Amino acid sequence: MPPIARTPEEWGEALLPLGGRPFHGRQLFRWIQARSVLDAERMTDLPKGLRAKLAGLELDRTMQVVDVRRAADNTRKLLVRLPDGATVETVLIPGVTGGRSTLPSPVPMPSEMDADAAAAPDDDEDEGEYAGTRPASPEPIRVTQCVSTQVGCAMGCAFCASGVAGLKRHLGADEIVAQVLAGRALLQDDERLRNIVFMGMGEPLHNYEATARALRLLMHPEGIALSARRITVSTSGLVPEIARLGADFGGNLGLAISLHAADDETRSRLMPINRKYPLGVLMDALRAYPLPRRRRITIEYTLVAGRNDSPGEARKLAKLLRGIPVKVNLIPMNPIAASTLGPPGLTGVLAFQRVLCDAGYSCFVRRRRGDDVSAACGQLALLGVKPKVRVDRA
Ligand code: SAH
Ligand code: SF4
């Protein structure tokens, strides 16, 4: 197992030939996962000789942050280069709701529009982490990080830059977790990592093993220690793996489904995966997901002008989802260079939302944060950005 993806126990074993003891494995794991420290020299509670041998492993070679773009709303998009030269992206999205926001929303939002990160887990499901321990200083700004799981994507969705690019390769669990380590190392003093969403490049459930290991590492109590309900995995609808995710993680993990259409014909045109797993079996998989009470599945619906955005389609969607505990996020399509598809106008978006609200659904319009830094799925990594700065190494 590559270093960044090792558990404390695996580290313990790996250190034996270097003269380390099992408890050194735990210490090393904590340096890496809890503190983002990859420089062995800084791991002061490890014996000097062991540190010298660890330096030879080049723990920080998993990735380099080669570009950081900051949007007006303080969303930061990190372009990350992997050892083989491939690039992926990860995005830090400061919260607008809950805690403090760094900046007011630059766009006036009509009522019921929600400027929060796409599908960030709701704070209405929060159990009040700060209750009773409210510090004198202001609460930290809650940051959602969006991570990538593949270089490109094999699913070929018509509106998606990653889909148009095709799959280059899967990421390893170490490459997924290293995005979080790098992101966390760049947080401001007044920010705290609160949620992780698997909504960057790639289809996480097409890379199930690495995604599952990364999830376990992110939740490890001695590491990043995020609870399952603070992590959301977004999928285009790989039915067998949705069941597997539910069985492996018990349904507490946030699940987001990229639906984008309410009938098979439209959906297959936008998302080829629908030919393999049509809406009937996908809806059955959602009904079978072991969702705890009061949790809901997030339905993502990217509105594409003239393709899936009519009020009739909104009514079909309301009917399709009946009886399933969901909340719906409407995302006006972010234009991509490789396609002439685009978003509907605001009136169309609000009319679509109105139908779903009237049918009794929680339905939000999500602006894609950081549009001015190409923060939509896969866009930056596909621009061929040249390396500018190197800012990792905690
Ligand atoms: N492959 C996974 C996760 C990554 S995509 C999935 O499809 O769910 C994250 C979300 O961004 C998905 O809902 C996807 O459909 C949406 N998306 C991709 N390209 C987009 C674009 N150009 N505009 C708006 N949403 C987009
Ligand atoms: Fe892949 Fe998701 Fe993009 Fe579809 S929307 S091509 S599944 S990354």
Side-chain angles (χ1 to χ4, degrees):
M1 201 37 73
I4 308 298
R6 285 180 196 152
T7 61
E9 297 71 31
E10 287 164 345
W11 263 122
E13 275 172 42
L15 292 181
L16 289 178
L18 303 180
R21 311 266 304 275
F23 70 90
H24 292 140
R26 248 179 93 195
Q27 288 169 319
L28 185 48
F29 180 85
R30 279 198 220 129
W31 279 110
I32 296 172
Q33 303 286 342
R35 300 179 215 166
S36 292
V37 171
L38 299 175
D39 177 0
E41 276 314 309
R42 289 179 54 199
M43 302 178 182
T44 41
D45 57 359
L46 292 179
K48 263 207 156 127
L50 189 57
R51 276 189 260 161
K53 286 178 195 154
L54 284 169
L57 295 182
E58 294 186 50
L59 296 173
D60 60 353
R61 73 180 293 278
T62 307
M63 65 171 57
Q64 291 181 349
V65 178
V66 291
D67 189 35
V68 180
R69 295 192 174 187
R70 191 181 290 263
D73 63 2
N74 208 23
T75 295
R76 276 139 289 165
K77 181 147 187 159
L78 283 58
L79 186 71
V80 157
R81 196 173 50 201
L82 305 170
D84 64 352
T87 51
V88 290
E89 58 205 26
T90 179
V91 188
L92 297 172
I93 309 157
V96 171
T97 55
R100 268 179 316 132
S101 169
T102 35
L103 288 170
S105 170
V107 191
M109 288 293 180
S111 64
E112 287 184 304
M113 268 189 127
D114 184 332
D116 209 344
D122 280 344
D123 276 333
D124 60 65
E125 289 160 8
D126 204 334
E127 280 154 18
E129 198 167 306
Y130 298 103
T133 57
R134 184 178 290 278
S137 56
E139 285 177 12
I141 297 163
R142 299 164 178 178
V143 174
T144 295
Q145 183 169 6
C146 174
V147 296
S148 295
T149 54
Q150 297 177 316
V151 184
C153 182
M155 301 298 135
C157 302
F159 47 81
C160 174
S162 306
V164 171
L167 179 66
K168 306 276 188 289
R169 72 169 173 90
H170 294 300
L171 295 189
D174 58 328
E175 293 171 320
I176 300 171
V177 171
Q179 292 170 57
V180 180
L181 303 184
R184 197 181 46 180
L186 285 180
L187 290 181
Q188 301 164 185
D189 288 346
D190 58 351
E191 290 179 325
R192 207 174 74 195
L193 181 63
R194 171 80 158 179
N195 302 299
I196 294 178
V197 295
F198 283 62
M199 292 186 182
M201 286 179 101
E203 167 51 58
L205 299 189
H206 183 214
N207 185 14
Y208 190 89
E209 296 298 341
T211 294
R213 180 174 266 265
L215 287 169
R216 290 199 179 93
L217 288 164
L218 297 175
M219 291 179 212
H220 196 290
E222 295 191 61
I224 294 161
L226 278 178
S227 67
R229 65 197 183 86
R230 298 250 159 262
I231 306 178
T232 297
V233 173
S234 175
T235 177
S236 54
L238 273 61
V239 165
E241 285 77 19
I242 291 172
R244 200 170 162 197
L245 200 68
D248 287 352
F249 295 93
N252 256 316
L253 190 69
L255 178 67
I257 302 293
S258 295
L259 203 59
H260 309 324
D263 67 80
D264 280 320
E265 202 188 323
T266 310
R267 192 164 192 268
S268 295
R269 234 180 279 136
L270 291 172
M271 307 179 70
I273 188 67
N274 192 67
R275 297 194 192 110
K276 194 165 179 190
Y277 303 116
L279 284 169
V281 292
L282 180 55
M283 292 302 126
D284 286 345
L286 299 194
R287 285 190 195 92
Y289 193 72
L291 211 59
R293 260 178 357 116
R294 280 185 296 174
R295 288 280 283 174
R296 288 173 295 171
I297 293 170
T298 302
I299 299 295
E300 295 164 278
Y301 196 103
T302 295
L303 288 161
V304 185
R307 304 296 165 116
N308 65 359
D309 62 335
S310 70
E313 276 155 321
R315 282 190 289 275
K316 249 191 271 176
L317 180 61
K319 201 169 156 200
L320 180 72
L321 295 174
R322 194 142 296 145
I324 306 176
V326 294
K327 61 176 172 168
V328 181
N329 285 338
L330 299 175
I331 312 156
M333 182 191 158
N334 215 49
I336 58 169
S339 165
T340 54
L341 299 174
L346 187 60
T347 323
V349 172
L350 295 178
F352 199 97
Q353 182 188 27
R354 173 60 45 210
V355 172
L356 288 165
C357 289
D358 288 349
Y361 291 94
S362 310
C363 178
F364 304 93
V365 176
R366 304 279 186 183
R367 170 169 76 82
R368 289 202 67 100
R369 298 285 301 280
D371 281 356
D372 48 334
V373 287
S374 300
C377 182
Q379 286 188 323
L380 182 57
L382 297 161
L383 282 175
V385 179
K386 299 232 163 44
K388 266 197 217 146
V389 285
R390 174 155 184 197
V391 278
D392 66 340
R393 294 178 184 269

